[in-house]
């Protein structure tokens, strides 16, 4: 039977083989039917053997059939004409004219561009880190040792090699310090990942922007100045900011930064800030001495601030969207956008 | 965490301050407040007195009462067991109805009907001094309260804020008001009483104290205490349990009570005895083999509580408890967190221990507990001395901060006298170093010294937050002006995206980094469907977008991994036409293609696929995806030169003054044009200025060569020379000149 299996070349061969062994009156089927005539003590063992044989034969035959089908489909495709892409005259022009949608950048890219331009204009380097981070980059280098409760605050996707999908763009802080330190200013916009279920307010994949400025006498007053200037540029309106205490292990002191709401209209309830006048915008703070030290920077000589804000959230504010899931939806009608 | 304003007012007089100010100043100085809620009686009730009381014959519960609100008498039917003549209680006129044949006007109210407790067996018993006819809030002022909700996440680093007293301390500092000392009964001067045996057998227990109290006869919790607990979402259960919770909410020290009728010998140790099974109050069963790293409290050797998390089913006190032993301990934060998370049990106690508590809270909480016991149950008195062991006591920390550094760090000139006052209000002991005044010595109180405040930067935070972030004047930093070179990777991505979207009319999309197609890098703890592996290619993600939207022109620049290890940035493009895809890549990178060896991935057309070459190096592949009938490109863009994108990076030279000539050659060749192109790329001749493919017909390729010189006008001989060399070169490379 093995030999016969190997000799199968066409689908018709396979059908014949199936009829011979596995069909209604096939040999294996017949033997199975004949079990009832066997001595009861041997029946169970023989039955098991036959069933295994039948299953294995079916599996082998199925695979051979599948390979033959694939080979036949491939052979058919091999009859297709060769399109010579090495020939520059084999050219199909980009479709144009009415009804053809023009190309475009993802709305998130457009927001990142704006942010990048603003910070580049203030002399910031625009850095760009990988999406897979080591535990060290994502936690230990950020003053979150193993037992730190902050590790619970984020739901991390862990990978089989011990690394993780970065939960925050802060995972690139350590690298930036080592690459540009001790005196520099840089931002790092990028994608981050949280292991949580999707809803209108929670994506498991979203964009943040990390920023750092380190120097010999960078102060909290500088941080406030910078954030105010940057946000004024982002929202294209004069923005006030205020700091509240916030806890992030990698900064000390840490702040929650609120920006004055640009959506408030007098006399109307504002859904964005719930009419408080302030919108929680980002976390920031003075870089923790342990974080500087891990980045090879002497905290007795240098200090600086770091901030991180949500690009996806900024895009939602900007485009007045109340569901963050659109950005990763792959829905082209949404992504192509429109004009007001 | 919820906080009662009445309770805070017991420790700091916040009179005259608007609740909105409390919320905003606390949010700006200490931690985020999510909101607040005003509590008041659920019904519009007044104080009444029962004038007559008789059982209703037709009912085994109801009594018929005559009550007065001072102005008028009413007949009321009431089922409460505690009705009696002379009792002053709460009553609300909710209309008249007939109950068991009796006309009844309004109702006498229990604590639950007033919305201040869950207890409903009996009606409110007011003090005999209560003024008949007065609104109930006058007789029971604690029924009106404001409950503030603090965001738990914003106080994870502040163990001291997990009790009302700690919050009161912050507010006293913020509003410059006095923090009243906690009233306590000293337990350290009753040394004559016997000890409660306590033992620490694992250093996961930092400290362990116990005190025994006898003659506790009170069963019902005072109404005020009930109301406070109830407003903070804790249902009253009975005096001792309520008192235990009350202490935790007040000073932040979780504690546990044991029945003291028989002898109590407490110890803290890891693990259970062989075969021992511990069942938590909530019914979770813990067996010895899973308990090795868990810390238990044991009474006479048997586990009675999962330390810092939850008591066992038989551990505690019961309705008959008259003598009780109270335990106040401190457990290792990491171990508590691990055990609680491992078992999926989070309790008010574990939430606090996880924050690293101060061991000195043990005695403070015990002394406060005994004080309150005594206050509400006069006969109760200590039956043991304070029995206490410790392995790691929390000690105050001494820090020195450099005042000039602090001012530079903040960008503020401080008035240090004011700073010292604020720090003192928080319990720090600051001393200016004299005579130089260039440093401040600060002793950190133990309740801040467990983890929270350990270095100069932590003191700076205290200084600047109590000073007020809003008072800091924004200042531009002074920095050296230096040219900024933006990283190449970023520039490349931006240029590619611009070219793809604007020149080639493609829509950018974002897809997830994971897929359900097996790769060598697995996501091990995903809670999301389809998120099992880190992807190795963008193609399948793009095809899924085509599946959703139909034919489209899309691209993505995104991360993938190879070999389960190295992260790469890929460009994926998907357009309907394979030929157009090739022209896009040619325009983008000056890409060339190699046909013949299967370059694609599963699902690619076996013939119509090609390797993509940039500067002779393979960087990816293109092909027709058979089942969607679209063309896909998958390019690794790491290492590509951004200056060359879309025709960039050209060189410029003045054209030759002399005339150029164009020579056409038609070669016959049974193969793809790429072979001819790569052959003639190697053709060298001083007059050769390049060639292009002009026409293809039936395996006949017409090439146009441009020939010329910078030095002279070409002669017929010059042209003949290169003419014959081109034909000769073609012949050597298997190209026959068509006659
Ligand atoms: Zn608003």
């Amino acid at each position: 039977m093995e030999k016969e299996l190997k000799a199968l070349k066409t689908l018709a061969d396979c059908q014949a083989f199936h009829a011979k062994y596995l069909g209604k009156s096939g040999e294996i089927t017949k033997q199975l039917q004949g079990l009832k005539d066997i001595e009861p003590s041997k029946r169970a063992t023989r039955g098991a053997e036959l069933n295994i044989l039948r299953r294995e034969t079916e599996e082998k035959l199925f695979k051979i059939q599948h390979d033959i089908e694939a080979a036949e489909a491939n052979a058919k495709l091999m009859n297709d004409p060769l399109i010579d892409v090495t020939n520059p005259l084999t050219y199909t022009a980009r479709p144009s004219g009415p009804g053809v949608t023009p190309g475009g950048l993802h709305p998130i890219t457009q927001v990142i561009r704006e942010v990048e331009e603003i910070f580049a204009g203030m002399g910031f380097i625009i850095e760009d880190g990988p999406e897979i981070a080591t535990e060290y980059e994502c936690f230990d280098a950020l003053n979150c040792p193993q037992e730190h409760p902050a590790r619970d605050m984020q739901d991390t996707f862990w990978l089989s090699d011990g690394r993780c999908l970065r939960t925050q763009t802060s995972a690139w802080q350590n690298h930036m310090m080592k690459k540009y330190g001790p005196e520099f200013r840089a931002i790092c916009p990028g994608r981050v990942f949280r292991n949580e279920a999707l809803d209108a307010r929670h994506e498991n994949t979203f964009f943040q922007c990390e920023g750092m400025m380190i120097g010999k006498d960078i102060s909290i007053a500088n941080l406030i100045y910078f954030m105010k200037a940057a946000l004024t540029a982002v929202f294209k309106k004069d923005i006030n900011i205020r700091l509240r205490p916030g806890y992030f292990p990698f900064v000390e002191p840490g702040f929650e930064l609120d920006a004055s709401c640009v959506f408030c209209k007098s006399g109307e309830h504002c859904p964005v800030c719930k009419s408080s006048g302030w919108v929680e915008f980002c976390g920031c703070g003075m870089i923790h001495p342990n974080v500087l030290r891990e980045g090879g920077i002497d905290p007795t000589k240098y200090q600086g601030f770091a901030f991180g804000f949500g690009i996806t959230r900024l895009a939602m504010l900007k485009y007045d969207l109340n569901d963050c899931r659109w950005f990763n939806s792959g829905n082209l009608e949404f992504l192509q956008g429109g004009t007001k | 965490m919820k906080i009662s304003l009445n309770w805070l007012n017991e420790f700091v007089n916040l009179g005259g301050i608007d609740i909105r100010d409390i919320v905003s100043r606390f949010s700006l100085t200490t931690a985020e407040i999510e909101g607040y809620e005003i509590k008041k009686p659920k019904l519009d009730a007044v104080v009444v007195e029962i004038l007559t009381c008789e059982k209703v014959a037709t009912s085994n519960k109801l009594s018929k009462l005559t009550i007065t609100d001072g102005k008028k008498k009413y007949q009321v039917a009431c089922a409460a067991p505690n009705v009696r003549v002379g009792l002053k209680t709460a009553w609300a006129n909710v209309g008249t109805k007939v109950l068991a044949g009796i006309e009844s006007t309004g109702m006498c109210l229990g604590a639950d009907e007033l919305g201040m407790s869950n207890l409903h067996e009996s009606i409110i018993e007011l003090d005999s001094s209560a003024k008949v006819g007065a609104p109930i809030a006058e007789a029971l002022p604690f029924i009106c309260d404001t409950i503030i909700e603090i965001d738990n996440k914003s106080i994870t680093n502040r163990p001291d804020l997990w009790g009302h007293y700690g919050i009161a301390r912050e507010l006293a500092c913020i509003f410059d008001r006095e923090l009243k000392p906690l009233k306590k009964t000293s337990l350290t001067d009753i040394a004559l009483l016997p000890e409660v045996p306590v033992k620490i057998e694992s250093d996961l227990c930092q400290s362990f104290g116990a005190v025994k109290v006898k003659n506790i006869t009170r069963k019902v919790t005072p109404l005020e205490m009930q109301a406070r607990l109830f407003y903070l979402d804790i249902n009253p259960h009975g005096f001792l349990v309520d008192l235990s919770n009350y202490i935790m909410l007040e000073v932040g020290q979780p504690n546990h009570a044991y029945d003291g009728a028989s002898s109590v010998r407490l110890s803290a140790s890891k693990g259970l005895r062989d075969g021992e099974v511990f069942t938590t109050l909530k019914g979770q069963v813990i067996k010895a083999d899973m308990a090795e790293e868990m810390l238990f409290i044991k009474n006479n050797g048997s586990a009675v509580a999962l330390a810092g998390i939850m008591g066992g089913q038989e551990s505690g006190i019961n309705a008959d408890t008259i003598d009780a032993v109270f335990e106040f301990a401190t457990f290792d934060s990491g171990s508590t967190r691990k055990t609680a998370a491992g078992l999926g049990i989070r309790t008010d106690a574990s939430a606090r221990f996880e924050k690293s508590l101060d061991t000195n809270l043990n005695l403070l909480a015990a002394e406060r507990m005994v004080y309150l016991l005594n206050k509400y149950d006069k006969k109760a008195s200590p039956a043991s001395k304070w029995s206490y062991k410790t392995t790691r006591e929390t000690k105050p920390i001494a820090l020195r901060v450099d005042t000039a550094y602090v001012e530079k760090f903040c960008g503020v000139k401080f008035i240090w006298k004011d700073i010292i006052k604020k720090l003192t209000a928080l319990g720090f002991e600051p001393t200016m170093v004299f005579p130089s005044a260039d440093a401040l010595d600060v002793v950190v109180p133990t309740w801040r010294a467990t983890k929270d405040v350990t270095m100069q930067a932590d003191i700076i935070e205290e200084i600047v937050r109590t000073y007020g972030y809003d008072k800091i004047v924004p200042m531009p930093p002074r920095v050296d002006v230096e040219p900024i070179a933006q990283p190449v990777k970023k520039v490349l991505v931006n240029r590619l995206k611009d070219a793809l979207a604007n020149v080639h009319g493609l829509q950018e999309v974002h897809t997830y980094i994971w897929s359900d197609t097996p790769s060598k890098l697995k996501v091990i703890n995903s809670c999301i469907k389809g998120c099992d592996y880190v992807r190795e290619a963008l193609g399948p993600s793009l095809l899924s977008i085509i599946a959703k939207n139909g034919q489209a022109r899309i691209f993505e620049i995104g991360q993938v991994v190879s070999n389960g290890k190295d992260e790469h940035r890929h460009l994926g493009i998907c357009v309907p036409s394979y030929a157009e895809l090739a022209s896009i890549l040619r325009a983008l990178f000056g890409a060339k293609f190699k046909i013949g060896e299967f370059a694609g991935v599963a699902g690619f057309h076996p013939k119509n696929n090609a390797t993509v070459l940039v500067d002779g190096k393979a960087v990816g592949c293109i092909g027709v995806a058979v089942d969607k009938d679209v063309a896909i490109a998958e390019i690794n863009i790491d290492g590509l030169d951004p200056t060359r994108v879309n025709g960039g990076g050209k060189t410029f030279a003045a054209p030759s003054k002399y005339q150029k000539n164009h020579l056409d050659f038609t070669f016959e060749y049974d193969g793809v044009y790429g072979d001819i192109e790569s052959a003639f790329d190697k053709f060298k001749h001083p007059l050769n200025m390049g060639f292009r493919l002009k026409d293809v017909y039936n395996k006949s390729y017409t090439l146009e060569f441009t020939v010329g010189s910078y030095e002279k006008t070409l002669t017929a001989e010059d042209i003949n020379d290169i003419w014959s060399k081109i034909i000769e070169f073609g012949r050597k490379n298997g190209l026959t000149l068509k006659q």
Side-chain angles (χ1 to χ4, degrees), chain B residues 1 162 248-249 252 254 348-357:
Chain B
M1 189 180 54
W162 288 75
M248 176 177 71
L249 297 179
D348 288 331
S350 71
R352 286 171 171 81
F353 283 118
E354 286 176 16
K355 310 296 182 289
S356 299
L357 292 181

Side-chain angles (χ1 to χ4, degrees), chain A residues 210-284:
Chain A
E210 192 73 10
M212 299 182 94
M213 176 165 189
I214 301 177
K216 287 206 180 70
D217 41 31
I218 300 297
S219 67
I220 299 175
N222 297 156
L223 162 71
I224 299 175
Y225 173 87
F226 246 105
M227 294 313 291
K228 187 170 153 54
L231 289 181
T232 295
V234 167
F235 288 107
K236 300 179 180 69
K237 271 187 192 172
D238 195 21
I239 297 289
N240 281 319
I241 62 164
R242 69 171 190 188
L243 300 182
R244 287 181 290 118
Y247 173 61
F248 309 98
F250 37 97
V251 283
E252 182 70 51
F255 315 115
E256 292 281 1
L257 186 147
D258 296 336
S260 53
C261 180
V262 296
F263 302 94
C264 282
K265 292 189 195 96
S266 67
E268 279 176 45
H269 175 76
C270 174
V272 177
C273 67
K274 300 189 183 80
S275 293
S276 70
W278 295 99
V279 179
E280 196 171 311
F281 186 76
C282 77
C284 55

Side-chain angles (χ1 to χ4, degrees), chain A residues 315-329:
Chain A
M316 287 172 75
L317 286 176
K318 197 176 161 67
Y319 302 123
D320 194 18
L321 288 172
N322 48 26
D323 193 330
C324 58
R325 288 170 292 190
W326 284 113
F327 295 116
N328 292 331
S329 66

Side-chain angles (χ1 to χ4, degrees), chain B residues 34-277:
Chain B
E34 293 183 348
Y36 63 92
E37 188 191 349
I38 308 278
K39 296 282 188 186
K40 42 181 203 238
K42 261 193 350 201
L43 291 169
D44 195 7
V46 293
V47 178
V48 296
E49 184 172 354
I50 300 176
L51 301 175
T52 68
C53 172
E54 55 187 86
K55 281 269 169 206
V56 174
T58 54
S59 159
N60 52 5
K61 272 189 181 165
L62 282 183
S63 303
K64 186 171 87 179
L65 314 175
T66 317
I67 57 141
T68 175
D69 65 356
K71 287 179 228 132
K72 234 179 125 182
K73 287 178 188 169
Y74 300 93
Q75 176 173 292
V76 187
C78 179
N82 62 331
V83 289
R84 58 183 185 271
V85 171
L87 177 67
K88 288 185 180 168
T89 188
W91 173 82
N93 193 346
V94 290
T96 303
K97 55 187 168 183
V98 176
L99 286 173
I102 299 164
E103 189 170 286
S104 174
T105 301
M107 59 196 273
C108 294
L109 304 170
D112 66 329
E113 286 145 335
L114 285 166
M116 57 187 274
S117 173
N118 62 336
L119 297 183
H120 54 87
E121 285 80 20
S122 42
I123 55 172
I124 296 276
E125 301 205 6
L126 297 172
D127 198 80
S128 58
S129 63
K131 207 176 119 219
V132 172
I136 192 65
E138 236 168 69
L140 303 174
F142 49 82
I143 201 169
C144 296
D145 200 350
T146 301
I147 305 302
I148 299 165
E149 184 155 14
I150 298 177
D151 173 31
N152 285 350
K153 258 195 275 171
S154 73
I155 50 173
T156 44
N157 58 329
R158 290 289 303 269
D160 64 310
L161 296 185
W162 288 75
H164 280 72
Y165 197 69
I167 303 283
R169 186 188 292 119
E170 283 289 323
L171 289 168
C173 169
I174 292 171
F175 291 104
D176 294 317
R177 300 211 170 178
E178 184 205 350
L179 178 70
K180 293 172 199 163
L182 207 56
K183 287 185 183 141
K184 297 175 293 186
T185 301
S186 169
L187 291 179
T188 45
D189 49 9
I190 46 170
L192 286 176
L193 292 171
E195 288 243 8
V196 180
V198 298
K199 216 154 122 194
I200 297 179
E201 289 168 343
S202 159
D203 59 7
L204 295 180
C205 177
Q206 287 174 245
S207 63
F208 196 154
V211 62
K212 184 171 178 174
V213 179
K214 62 181 181 186
N215 298 332
I216 307 165
T217 52
R218 182 169 194 127
K219 301 294 173 205
V220 179
T221 307
L223 269 183
E224 178 168 17
M225 199 179 267
Q226 277 188 42
R228 284 189 183 174
L229 293 174
F230 188 71
Y231 284 164
L232 304 182
D233 298 338
I234 293 187
N235 281 338
H237 282 105
F239 183 51
L240 281 181
V241 174
D242 294 349
L243 186 61
S244 166
N245 282 324
Y246 190 86
I247 288 290
M248 176 177 71
L249 297 179
E250 185 167 69
V251 299
Q253 168 71 58
N255 54 84
H256 205 73
Y258 302 90
D259 189 275
S262 44
S263 86
V264 173
R265 309 173 67 84
L266 296 173
S267 59
S269 64
K270 283 206 289 188
L272 297 170
R273 284 189 310 250
D274 275 350
E276 189 179 1
V277 171

Side-chain angles (χ1 to χ4, degrees), chain A residues 68-185:
Chain A
I68 293 175
E69 274 166 6
E72 283 182 0
N74 225 13
K76 207 186 269 171
L77 288 170
M78 284 307 278
N79 291 330
D80 286 352
L82 175 78
I83 303 167
D84 183 5
V85 286
T86 67
N87 173 356
L89 302 179
T90 314
Y91 181 85
T92 310
R94 163 187 172 182
S96 61
V100 173
T101 38
L105 297 174
H106 193 284
I108 293 285
T109 300
Q110 301 189 32
V111 173
I112 290 179
R113 287 280 175 92
E114 261 185 58
V115 168
E116 286 178 359
E117 276 164 26
I118 289 161
F119 280 94
M122 295 196 288
F124 277 68
I125 295 166
I126 316 295
E127 255 294 310
D128 177 15
E131 294 179 351
I132 297 172
T134 60
E135 202 174 348
Y136 172 80
E137 290 164 339
C138 214
F139 299 104
D140 301 81
L142 294 171
N143 197 36
C144 284
Q146 196 67 52
E147 290 301 317
H148 203 290
R151 289 201 179 193
D152 285 356
M153 284 158 59
Q154 298 164 337
D155 303 298
T156 310
F157 284 110
W158 291 103
L159 304 179
S160 48
D161 66 355
R163 291 184 295 171
C164 61
L165 297 179
R166 64 175 173 187
T167 54
Q168 45 189 359
T169 40
S170 315
W172 204 235
Q173 280 196 3
N174 187 260
H175 182 92
M176 289 197 277
M177 287 186 284
K178 285 175 179 161
K179 186 168 171 189
Y180 300 114
E183 290 185 78
F184 72 98
R185 47 196 190 280

